[in-house]
Amino acid sequence: MSSQAATTDYLTFGYAALVALGGIMGYVKAGSLPSLGAGLAFGAVIGAGGVLTSRDPKNIWVVLGASAVLAGVMGMRFVRSGKVMPAGLVCALSLMTAGRMVYQMIK
């Protein structure tokens, strides 16, 4: 058992909920099944990663991987479209989450 007390990673769970909600909104507003599928899938993966980081703050790999992929994909969409919503926002949130995970690992 770790010497650190386990704490709930609320920021990661919030990020997971926003990603899933974004997929739902993409479906509701534009009828986009790919947005719905990707949003729910990434939200679930990030949520599962939140469980892992809540149990062990150094177990960042699931959240880091998912946020890095989202940052890359949504960053490319943002560069192509120039639209802050949703691509720029998701890219920024994903970069912040990835940075927080790296910081969490090295501190």
Side-chain angles (χ1 to χ4, degrees):
M1 184 177 269
S2 173
S3 62
Q4 282 184 314
T7 59
T8 303
D9 188 356
Y10 291 111
L11 288 174
T12 296
F13 288 124
Y15 171 58
L18 285 173
V19 169
L21 185 60
I24 293 167
M25 291 303 298
Y27 177 73
V28 168
K29 286 189 161 211
S32 173
L33 282 173
S35 289
L36 178 63
L40 293 178
F42 272 96
V45 168
I46 294 163
V51 171
L52 297 175
T53 58
S54 293
R55 291 182 184 162
D56 177 7
K58 301 292 185 190
N59 193 355
I60 64 165
W61 306 109
V62 172
V63 178
L64 181 62
S67 60
V69 169
L70 272 178
V73 170
M74 296 307 267
M76 288 189 301
R77 285 185 62 192
F78 173 66
V79 168
R80 278 190 288 226
S81 71
K83 294 181 181 178
V84 174
M85 283 298 288
L89 178 64
V90 174
C91 178
L93 288 172
S94 298
L95 288 171
M96 287 188 286
T97 299
R100 187 174 67 85
M101 289 295 112
V102 171
Y103 174 76
Q104 194 166 300
M105 183 65 183
I106 61 176
K107 75 172 184 174

